[in-house]
Amino acid sequence: MKIIAQRQQEWSALKYLILSKSQSDYRAIRKLFTDDKWDEGKERAFRSYLQHALAEPPKKGNLLNAYQHVWGYFKNKASETERQKYEELLKTFSVDHDTLLSFLKELTLKYQEQYLLQSKLLFPKEEK
């Protein structure tokens, strides 16, 4: 597998985790992939952005942004009950008592959303 394909695969698993930590690092990493070329400079930048983002403490706005992106996979297939639960969890969300993450994990498993099953935000240690 070409190195660019390997990095794209790695990025797809890390994308929402990085978004949940740092939107600026997320945007910078996305730019690295715009031309389908990879070199040592991009590799160093990729690792640096990842390291920086992962060191960031959780922030409510960043987490909610990432969770809303994840919810996008379910908004057209979730039941009305699930939709109501999502809205309630969104309203009462707190970084210290994050019940939204486990709900999104449940939906990912229930609907077997393949892209999200690989997400390090939802399944950091591949606990599926």
Side-chain angles (χ1 to χ4, degrees), residues 43-83:
E43 181 70 21
R44 280 192 301 277
F46 181 60
R47 296 293 160 206
S48 176
Y49 291 132
L50 289 177
Q51 185 177 16
H52 179 265
L54 294 172
E56 290 294 305
K59 293 185 186 103
K60 183 176 181 175
N62 290 341
L63 280 167
L64 286 176
N65 184 30
Y67 292 167
Q68 287 169 323
H69 277 80
V70 170
W71 172 253
Y73 287 83
F74 306 112
K75 67 180 181 183
N76 293 324
K77 56 176 94 169
S79 69
E80 187 54 37
T81 304
E82 290 166 337
R83 196 175 328 283

Side-chain angles (χ1 to χ4, degrees), residues 88-120:
E88 185 58 34
L89 291 173
L90 204 55
K91 278 188 238 172
T92 60
F93 180 79
S94 152
V95 172
D96 296 329
H97 303 288
D98 184 353
T99 52
L100 194 48
L101 178 62
S102 59
F103 178 65
L104 293 170
K105 282 182 187 182
E106 286 174 30
L107 292 178
T108 298
L109 293 168
K110 175 182 177 180
Y111 293 106
Q112 286 296 293
E113 192 59 57
Q114 290 305 306
Y115 189 78
L116 295 178
L117 286 168
Q118 309 306 313
S119 174
K120 297 296 184 194

Side-chain angles (χ1 to χ4, degrees), residues 12-17 70 108 114-126 128:
S12 71
L14 289 167
K15 181 164 64 169
Y16 294 124
L17 176 60
V70 170
T108 298
Q114 290 305 306
Y115 189 78
L116 295 178
L117 286 168
Q118 309 306 313
S119 174
K120 297 296 184 194
L121 172 65
L122 300 173
F123 305 101
K125 295 181 181 153
E126 300 183 26
K128 299 180 284 301

